[in-house]
Amino acid sequence: MDNGDWRSPVIVELGGIGRFAIITNALDAANCMSEEWPAEGGPVADEAVLVCLDAVLGKVSAEESREAFLEAAREAGLYVKPDAGSIH
C-alpha cells in the first residue's frame, strides 16, 4: 500500500511547546488529524483528512495531501516549522 509519501516532511507542534510530530506522508497526516489533533477539527481539517485518505488510495497526489494538511494546521493555529525540504 502506498502511504502517499511527501517530498519533504511537515514538522508540526502538537501537545505543547517543544513537542513536535514529524509527518512524512498522507497516511500519517490522516492519523495525526484523527487521533492527535489538539483542537476540535474544523471544516478545513475534516476536508484534509479526506484528501489525505484519497492520496493513500491514489486519487490525488501526495503533495495535494501535504498542502491540505498544512491548511488544517493553519486552521488549528498550530506552529509548523519552516519547510525542511532541502534537508536530506
Side-chain angles (χ1 to χ4, degrees):
M1 173 170 71
D2 182 10
N3 291 335
D5 291 339
W6 297 341
R7 280 186 233 130
S8 61
V10 173
I11 303 171
V12 62
E13 192 168 44
L14 295 171
I17 296 172
R19 294 190 58 210
F20 291 94
I22 301 170
I23 309 299
T24 62
N25 61 57
L27 183 59
D28 287 347
N31 286 333
C32 177
M33 289 183 286
S34 298
E35 299 171 11
E36 300 179 54
W37 222 233
E40 287 296 318
V44 175
D46 293 343
E47 178 64 21
V49 170
L50 296 176
V51 171
C52 288
L53 293 174
D54 280 347
V56 172
L57 295 173
K59 295 180 180 181
V60 301
S61 74
E63 291 307 309
E64 286 177 79
S65 69
R66 185 179 186 278
E67 287 303 316
F69 181 76
L70 287 169
E71 287 293 322
R74 282 190 278 277
E75 175 190 59
L78 299 175
Y79 173 72
V80 176
K81 283 192 172 185
D83 192 356
S86 62
I87 300 171
H88 293 286

